[in-house]
Amino acid sequence: MTEIRNIVVLTGAGVSAESGVPTFRAADGLWEGHRVEDVATPQAFRRDPALVQQFYDARRAFLAKVEPNAAHLALARLDAAWPGEFLLVTQNVDDLHERAGSQRLLHMHGELKRALCTGCGAAPAWLDALEDGPPCPNCQAAALRPDIVWFGEMPYHMAEIEEALAACDLFVSIGTSGAVYPAAGFVDVARRAGAATLELNLDPSAGTSMFDTARHGPAGILVPAWVDGLLASIKA
Ligand code: APR
């Protein structure tokens, strides 16, 4: 463990599940009762903007009802204490990592608490509903959409993430099904860079065989245990 200096952690919906945020790939194939192509694509937004705005307005409002769990708190503890490079990349659009105190954090699929101007491209912090069509506070003209990376759109911060993956000694994937690229391919990038790889997930992900080590169980148990072990190794 002592040779580990640079760490990249990827999180998905499973890290927020114990906070009460539903994961995406439920057994019925629906996301909160909707087909993904009806709410999470640019085509859906063009076809029925009101439905898409209502959907994300409800998700944004729901954030007031949930709190970070033991996994979010442990990752923030690791960020604060780790002496080497550390990057937490989340696919989640909730704000539970930042509310837990994580600092070195990138949201690759956007953020519920941000809007995106369809005209000027500004991405202002946004806590209210978008359904009534408020104008962009920057250009005062164009409409705002949720600042969410939909299917078919380019995830954010990819250059920075790839740079961190290429330089990491340890890559850890937490609470993600490994069904959506490019995030599902990060384990392969890290392996090629010579990093050790660890999966912490409720059950084996689609890419579980690509990891050196996989531990299966709830993130609220597995993540604090892993963080405690890692921090103990730097004190030893
Ligand atoms: N602890 C750990 N893992 C859990 C827990 C838990 N308490 N509960 C569920 N999981 C696991 C599930 O077993 C599953 O493998 O979390 C994973 C969640 O998978 P998905 O619902 O597919 O979520 P995610 O991988 O984050 O989805 C990726 O797909 O819909 C798009 O853009 C969206 O960011 C999302 C992306």
Side-chain angles (χ1 to χ4, degrees):
M1 286 292 205
T2 44
E3 70 276 23
I4 294 169
R5 189 170 158 72
N6 300 339
I7 301 174
V8 176
V9 175
L10 170 71
T11 61
V15 82
S16 295
E18 288 156 75
S19 294
V21 182
T23 59
F24 294 99
R25 287 170 183 78
D28 59 6
L30 298 178
W31 180 23
E32 304 268 302
H34 294 274
R35 293 185 317 150
V36 85
E37 52 273 36
D38 290 338
V39 288
T41 62
Q43 294 81 352
F45 187 60
R46 279 196 291 276
R47 198 168 51 236
D48 193 346
L51 172 78
V52 175
Q53 297 286 26
Q54 281 162 12
F55 180 79
Y56 287 98
D57 284 351
R59 309 270 83 68
R60 191 179 305 108
F62 182 70
L63 293 182
K65 301 198 167 111
V66 296
E67 296 289 336
N69 65 50
H72 298 105
L73 293 168
L75 289 169
R77 207 153 42 82
L78 179 59
D79 182 3
W82 189 250
E85 297 292 325
F86 178 87
L87 180 63
L88 174 55
V89 180
T90 188
Q91 299 170 88
N92 298 344
V93 295
D94 66 48
D95 62 345
L96 294 178
H97 281 308
E98 43 272 63
R99 279 161 59 193
S102 282
Q103 300 280 330
R104 293 178 276 182
L105 167 70
L106 294 177
H107 279 273
M108 66 179 289
H109 290 167
E111 297 171 63
L112 279 168
K113 288 194 174 169
R114 220 166 262 289
L116 177 65
C117 178
T118 55
C120 73
W126 201 268
L127 306 182
D128 303 325
L130 287 169
E131 192 195 346
D132 294 340
C136 170
N138 185 51
C139 68
Q140 313 289 340
L144 295 169
R145 56 166 269 186
D147 189 16
I148 302 290
V149 177
W150 286 324
F151 285 94
E153 297 183 321
M154 181 65 81
Y156 293 150
H157 312 295
M158 283 310 295
E160 200 177 331
I161 294 167
E162 274 165 16
E163 197 178 315
L165 287 169
C168 78
D169 309 302
L170 175 64
F171 171 73
V172 187
S173 174
I174 301 171
T176 175
S177 59
V180 174
Y181 283 80
F186 289 174
V187 58
D188 193 43
V189 178
R191 277 169 70 102
R192 285 166 197 268
T197 55
L198 169 66
E199 168 170 288
L200 303 176
N201 203 45
L202 191 59
D203 39 36
S205 72
T208 194
S209 63
M210 287 196 275
F211 290 84
D212 301 324
T213 311
R215 294 182 200 147
H216 297 129
I221 304 283
L222 293 184
V223 178
W226 167 66
V227 167
D228 288 346
L230 200 58
L231 291 180
S233 78
I234 55 173
K235 288 184 193 123

